[in-house]
Amino acid sequence: MKSVICPYCGFGCRLYVDPDTLRVFPDKHSPVNRGKVCPKGLRATGFIMHPDRLKRPLKAVNNKFTPISWSQAIEEIAHKLLEIRELYGADAVAFMASSKCSNEENYLLQKIARLFGTNNIDNCARLCHESSVHALKMTLGMGIQTNPYEDLERFNVILIWGYNPAETHPVIMQYILNAKRRGAKIILVDVRETTSSQWADYFLKIKPGTDIVLANAFAHVIIRDELYDEEFVEKMTKGFNEVKMAVKKYTPKYAEKIIGVSSKLIEKAAREFALAGSGAIMWGMGVTQKVSGVDNVLALINLALLMGYIGEKGGLYPMRGQNNVQGAAYMGALSEYLPGYIELTNMEFRQRLAKLWDVRGIPTERGLYLTEFFDGVESGEIKALYIMGENPAVSDANFKKVRNALKKLELLVVQDIFPTKTAKYAHYILPAAAFCEKDGSYMNSERRIQWSHKVCEPPGEAKPDWEILTMLGKALGLPGFDYKSVEEITAEYFKLFPELEERDVEELKESIEGIIIPKKRLYTWSFTTPDGKAHFRAVEQISPWETPDEEYPLILVTMRVISHYNTSEMTLRSPYLVKLMSEPMAEINEKDAQKLGIKNGDMIIIETRRGKLKMKAKISNVKEGVVAVPFHFKVNEITSDALNKAGTPEFKFSACRIYKT
Ligand SMILES: Nc1nc2c(c(=O)[nH]1)N[C@H]1C(S)=C(S)[C@@H](COP(=O)(O)OP(=O)(O)OC[C@H]3O[C@@H](n4cnc5c(=O)[nH]c(N)nc54)[C@H](O)[C@@H]3O)O[C@H]1N2
Ligand SMILES: Nc1nc2c(c(=O)[nH]1)N[C@H]1C(S)=C(S)[C@@H](COP(=O)(O)OP(=O)(O)OC[C@H]3O[C@@H](n4cnc5c(=O)[nH]c(N)nc54)[C@H](O)[C@@H]3O)O[C@H]1N2
Ligand code: SF4
Ligand SMILES: [Mo]
């Protein structure tokens, strides 16, 4: 049996796959999943044999997809890309990398983009935790999770905010529940009761978008009652006084009116957090997918800094979503950073890259964010889009706008394992090998690089993404695209990072532990900001883009369920998982349902300023005024596409109305 890394979430479970039956078994020796697996992981190979798998390169001819040879497809794509560069410049082309693909594959695609001459390279981190990256970088120095999962078991309080791990990273629950068994307290903040909230000692069900008010109220209590770690604040941080002034008005009584949670519960939870002595803060999309996303994260970081819950005494856990979203970003598949989150203008690193890549220059201007690509098409700035393993026609906000833009492109290439909703608009579709059909390395949320081994052959003529990109790089005439094996690419990216420079690829392949970079636990002594201090940032409440009004009085919130995964291209083709949920339902509060005469199971229309969707209603314990819909199907037809400072859409707040059909 060969071991692979689970192709779903960013927790990074190691699984064994039987090559004959494709049955999956969790790895007992993995320090990550420790013998556990969730329902998706257990059926990780469920979609591999699906008849829809792409098997040959296809070209759109007279509105029909016609098979074409690999050599012809690559030659024609390269020719068109070069022609567009000649006519409009390199920035007329944009590339979407894939959080589903390996480090090597993401490294190659960003290398292609930058050697081609553009920083228009991005991945779905933009739709996800880029707000966390920006906030962590400006306060602590690095935009990454600070501590390993194992630390969760020794902290005395775990604050879980806008994050539902029991559905989205199920196996991490064993760490959280081990902590709870040991006596740690769990404080959970969400806008609805969730599978995770059943484990909370303190559950604060707030109104959507009021997170800063609550976090500032916590800070108010901590400062008012002098519970903060004076020594840590004095020696290790800057900006405390600004926060002290800013949170003065956020008394628990003031917060109660805005967030809809009693001041007593706010007081109790804040004191529990502060008096614990050590603690983790874990957060997810309820925090980041807001126009206030970056500031929401800053407000949470302030709480950790007040208590010194960082390094040994605590950790910040922006739990990464996709199996390799951390790796894609670390490999440089972001339009504002080079590999290792290095600034585009960092001369020393640019020289290192140029030497390794044997080129003179790399573009310095920030590229467009993935979420700006489509406006770029609309304005005529972007003419070609190369998409590897990403499905924006479903995953991006207000997807009618996205689909209109896709239609306008002079060249759209989609490299995927399935004919996705995005592929419908493609000029060329390239068939890729799936996770267990190729070798490569992946990085999980705790920054652990792990090797995933090839178990079986890809279907038909499908090829590993790194092979496809090697052919493309060569056809574009870029230097250094002679890779004969994936290991050669691993060895190349190892050279970019000081912690990996001396490491051996073979050693990584054999290792069950993998390698954590830059190190297991960050900030035990100092911070990586220019002055070595952590920086508080005072933040004020920011209103959502669309506030509810008479016409659209309710709030549409989107979220995930355990059995489906993102745009569900994989899970809807996995027979067992489809059985668990084949259609979405809209969760509404009992009081709202009564007012509107809606009963459990009734068909309703959800309408926003962008359109309507029909689905069944499910009466549940969501906050009054909230309509909560799983995002895996079609909800982005009607979501708000307002962006925050980090380029992330406000997927979790659209004004809406509902009525019975
Ligand atoms: N089963 C499954 N697992 C997955 C995925 C999947 O699609 N399916 N996707 C993966 C990916 S890419 C990611 S990024 C992660 C995401 O993992 P999570 O962050 O856990 O994902 P969500 O369910 O989108 O959002 C978390 C919670 O935010 C809450 N929320 C909404 N609005 C607000 C608000 O204003 N304030 C607060 N405090 N909470 C709010 C929602 O009710 C929801 O319970 O999951 C990963 N794991
Ligand atoms: N309303 C709403 N919208 C959201 C969110 C939300 O919470 N609410 N969450 C956002 C978040 S956090 C994220 S991360 C995005 C996710 O958005 P996407 O990344 O667009 O979603 P996925 O469904 O994960 O798409 C991955 C694609 O990769 C393909 N694939 C799988 N394996 C391989 C491979 O080995 N090679 C290649 N080439 N392709 C492969 C799959 O078939 C699939 O088409 O969605 C965002 N959209
Ligand atoms: S927790 Fe995540 S990585 Fe582990 S088996 Fe489930 S989906 Fe896969
Ligand atoms: Mo994500």
Side-chain angles (χ1 to χ4, degrees):
M1 280 207 275
K2 296 273 182 63
S3 79
V4 298
I5 300 305
C6 175
Y8 288 115
C9 89
F11 183 66
C13 294
R14 189 179 282 284
L15 311 170
Y16 278 97
V17 180
D18 180 332
D20 299 323
T21 60
L22 292 187
R23 275 191 67 189
V24 174
F25 305 87
D27 181 357
K28 288 198 186 76
H29 304 289
S30 156
V32 177
N33 49 312
R34 310 193 291 205
K36 298 279 193 303
V37 64
C38 82
K40 280 186 307 308
L42 196 58
R43 304 295 193 298
T45 51
F47 57 85
I48 289 294
M49 307 296 278
H50 195 280
D52 285 355
R53 282 294 302 278
L54 293 168
K55 297 177 192 74
R56 299 187 66 182
L58 300 170
K59 177 181 179 174
V61 184
N62 300 327
N63 291 326
K64 265 188 75 183
F65 286 110
T66 317
I68 172 176
S69 72
W70 269 113
S71 55
Q72 204 178 343
I74 296 291
E75 197 187 301
E76 287 184 20
I77 293 167
H79 182 263
K80 187 74 191 170
L81 287 172
L82 292 170
E83 190 182 271
I84 288 173
R85 184 172 70 177
E86 185 70 32
L87 279 172
Y88 311 103
D91 288 335
V93 178
F95 297 85
M96 277 194 200
S98 178
S99 298
K100 285 266 147 278
C101 290
S102 67
N103 291 336
E104 290 74 10
E105 291 159 345
N106 282 291
Y107 172 76
L108 277 199
L109 192 60
Q110 63 87 37
K111 181 173 172 179
I112 288 181
R114 291 187 162 121
L115 293 186
F116 185 78
T118 183
N119 282 318
N120 288 340
I121 166 85
D122 217 0
N123 80 92
C124 75
R126 190 67 56 200
L127 307 173
C128 193
H129 262 302
E130 211 46 25
S131 311
S132 308
V133 170
H134 283 220
L136 287 163
K137 209 166 167 46
M138 71 173 101
T139 49
L140 312 181
M142 280 188 272
I144 44 186
Q145 181 176 317
T146 61
N147 292 56
Y149 305 141
E150 65 189 50
D151 281 4
L152 289 169
E153 292 179 331
R154 57 180 186 84
F155 297 142
N156 296 333
V157 66
I158 302 180
L159 177 55
I160 300 177
W161 203 302
Y163 172 46
N164 185 14
E167 307 252 357
T168 56
H169 296 105
V171 177
I172 207 171
M173 287 310 288
Q174 63 169 312
Y175 290 80
I176 295 172
L177 295 179
N178 281 346
K180 189 174 165 75
R181 265 178 231 120
R182 226 201 58 245
K185 294 285 183 271
I186 296 175
I187 305 171
L188 193 139
V189 182
D190 205 301
V191 300
R192 56 189 188 108
E193 247 171 53
T194 65
T195 330
S196 309
S197 65
Q198 62 176 307
W199 305 107
D201 298 284
Y202 300 86
F203 173 37
L204 293 90
K205 188 156 79 176
I206 62 169
K207 288 186 187 154
T210 61
D211 301 82
I212 292 179
V213 178
L214 178 60
N216 280 357
F218 269 33
H220 176 97
V221 172
I222 292 169
I223 296 173
R224 181 199 66 197
D225 296 353
E226 294 181 355
L227 302 175
Y228 59 95
D229 183 335
E230 254 177 275
E231 195 188 348
F232 180 86
V233 168
E234 167 83 16
K235 287 196 180 139
M236 304 290 287
T237 72
K238 275 193 170 161
F240 170 74
N241 281 331
E242 284 81 350
V243 171
K244 190 175 168 182
M245 294 303 290
V247 301
K248 245 193 186 130
K249 77 167 195 234
Y250 291 85
T251 62
K253 282 258 179 272
Y254 170 81
E256 176 178 306
K257 285 194 214 109
I258 302 171
I259 69 175
V261 169
S262 80
S263 57
K264 247 193 183 152
L265 183 57
I266 300 172
E267 293 265 1
K268 269 192 179 164
R271 290 181 65 85
E272 183 77 53
F273 176 75
L275 293 170
S278 67
I281 307 182
M282 310 181 81
W283 70 92
M285 298 299 104
V287 171
T288 59
Q289 293 175 337
K290 290 284 165 56
V291 288
S292 56
V294 177
D295 298 66
N296 287 351
V297 179
L298 291 172
L300 297 185
I301 296 172
N302 286 344
L303 297 180
L305 292 181
L306 281 173
M307 299 318 311
Y309 288 172
I310 205 140
E312 289 296 336
K313 263 175 61 184
L316 291 163
Y317 293 78
M319 288 297 301
R320 304 309 305 245
Q322 298 243 43
N323 57 332
N324 203 33
V325 63
Q326 184 56 81
Y330 225 103
M331 292 300 126
L334 287 174
S335 55
E336 76 273 53
Y337 298 121
L338 295 169
Y341 293 104
I342 309 268
E343 308 288 342
L344 288 164
T345 47
N346 180 318
M347 272 319 285
E348 198 189 319
F349 192 76
R350 290 172 62 79
Q351 275 166 6
R352 200 167 162 155
L353 263 188
K355 194 166 158 228
L356 186 69
W357 291 352
D358 195 19
V359 289
R360 255 182 283 143
I362 298 160
T364 43
E365 292 273 300
R366 141 160 125 71
L368 294 177
Y369 293 155
L370 181 152
T371 40
E372 294 169 335
F373 287 173
F374 306 102
D375 289 327
V377 178
E378 216 35 65
S379 69
E381 206 181 327
I382 299 284
K383 304 287 185 193
L385 184 55
Y386 192 106
I387 302 181
M388 167 172 87
E390 178 84 7
N391 192 13
V394 185
S395 57
D396 230 304
N398 184 9
F399 68 47
K400 274 188 201 144
K401 183 184 95 177
V402 173
R403 292 178 185 196
N404 281 337
L406 292 175
K407 280 186 212 157
K408 283 194 179 157
L409 284 160
E410 283 186 27
L411 175 67
L412 173 62
V413 182
V414 171
Q415 180 174 314
D416 206 292
I417 59 172
F418 285 121
T420 61
K421 304 266 177 351
T422 306
K424 272 193 192 159
Y425 303 90
H427 299 100
Y428 296 89
I429 303 179
L430 303 178
F435 74 108
C436 56
E437 299 158 351
K438 60 186 176 186
D439 273 280
S441 63
Y442 296 78
M443 193 191 263
N444 73 359
S445 193
E446 58 181 354
R447 301 171 271 100
R448 189 189 294 271
I449 303 175
Q450 307 187 90
W451 195 266
S452 186
H453 298 265
K454 178 174 172 177
V455 178
C456 54
E457 290 301 323
E461 296 174 22
K463 287 180 189 295
D465 294 273
W466 69 265
E467 274 189 50
I468 305 172
L469 297 179
T470 300
M471 294 192 291
L472 179 70
K474 247 191 222 164
L476 287 169
L478 305 176
F481 277 79
D482 293 314
Y483 308 105
K484 302 278 181 306
S485 70
V486 72
E487 289 85 351
E488 284 179 32
I489 309 164
T490 322
E492 183 172 318
Y493 88 66
F494 270 26
K495 289 195 192 125
L496 280 179
F497 306 107
E499 316 80 30
L500 293 174
E501 236 173 347
E502 304 294 320
R503 302 299 286 257
D504 180 18
V505 179
E506 287 308 311
E507 179 201 340
L508 172 66
K509 288 179 73 176
E510 297 302 316
S511 164
I512 291 177
E513 266 106 56
I515 306 171
I516 295 187
I517 62 166
K519 59 181 179 169
K520 206 166 180 180
R521 201 166 286 113
L522 306 177
Y523 316 127
T524 39
W525 299 108
S526 68
F527 294 90
T528 50
T529 47
D531 60 7
K533 302 256 169 150
H535 293 239
F536 280 102
R537 293 288 178 129
V539 287
E540 293 284 349
Q541 170 65 1
I542 295 171
S543 297
W545 185 254
E546 273 189 345
T547 38
D549 55 17
E550 265 176 30
E551 236 185 313
Y552 297 97
L554 302 175
I555 302 165
L556 171 65
V557 163
T558 60
M559 78 305 181
R560 293 163 162 77
V561 296
I562 193 166
S563 52
H564 281 294
Y565 192 84
N566 289 359
T567 63
S568 63
E569 292 288 350
M570 291 147 77
T571 45
L572 275 180
R573 292 186 174 98
S574 197
Y576 171 79
L577 296 172
V578 174
K579 271 192 233 147
L580 297 183
M581 185 195 240
S582 55
E583 57 167 337
M585 285 174 97
E587 291 182 27
I588 53 173
N589 177 282
E590 194 157 8
K591 282 193 190 149
D592 292 323
Q594 256 173 13
K595 260 189 253 163
L596 297 163
I598 296 169
K599 286 197 274 330
N600 207 22
D602 277 354
M603 269 295 176
I604 58 165
I605 301 280
I606 308 170
E607 189 175 347
T608 71
R609 292 193 168 84
R610 288 151 298 276
K612 298 177 190 178
L613 271 185
K614 197 171 164 181
M615 69 185 75
K616 272 189 194 150
K618 178 175 156 190
I619 315 293
S620 82
N621 283 323
V622 296
K623 190 87 179 166
E624 233 181 300
V626 167
V627 181
V629 176
F631 109 82
H632 314 290
F633 303 88
K634 289 202 290 197
V635 74
N636 278 337
E637 211 171 315
I638 60 171
T639 47
S640 160
D641 54 358
L643 301 183
N644 69 26
K645 292 181 237 176
T648 305
E650 192 153 55
F651 286 124
K652 287 190 169 28
F653 203 113
S654 309
C656 75
R657 60 181 170 224
I658 58 171
Y659 43 91
K660 241 166 99 166
T661 57

